[in-house]
Amino acid sequence: MTWTWKLEDAEGNTLDTPDSDLGSQGDAESWLGERWREFADQGASTAVLQEDGKTVYRMDLSPAEE
């Protein structure tokens, strides 16, 4: 199984996503956890986790308001 991320902007357009073919869900989540702020700064608002091309879940990349 291959786990990948797809990044989208606020309008739902797919953004260029660095290669993220990972071997497990945990690896994929760790990979995004290390990079999500950088992606948000570049205009990504949503990250979509996919397993073999099937959407598992979507995650908002907006920082939490304090």
Side-chain angles (χ1 to χ4, degrees):
M1 289 184 228
T2 301
W3 295 81
T4 58
W5 288 102
K6 180 174 79 169
L7 300 174
E8 298 177 346
D9 65 15
E11 288 79 38
N13 300 308
T14 300
L15 303 173
D16 288 334
T17 306
D19 186 21
S20 64
D21 292 343
L22 301 155
S24 72
Q25 183 174 352
D27 289 344
E29 290 169 343
S30 293
W31 182 90
L32 184 68
E34 295 170 1
R35 296 165 178 83
W36 74 269
R37 286 180 183 85
E38 174 186 339
F39 298 146
D41 288 345
Q42 295 172 359
S45 64
T46 304
V48 182
L49 180 62
Q50 298 181 320
E51 179 186 15
D52 295 330
K54 177 185 165 200
T55 297
V56 177
Y57 66 83
R58 305 170 70 79
M59 179 186 315
D60 181 14
L61 296 181
S62 301
E65 294 186 27
E66 296 181 22

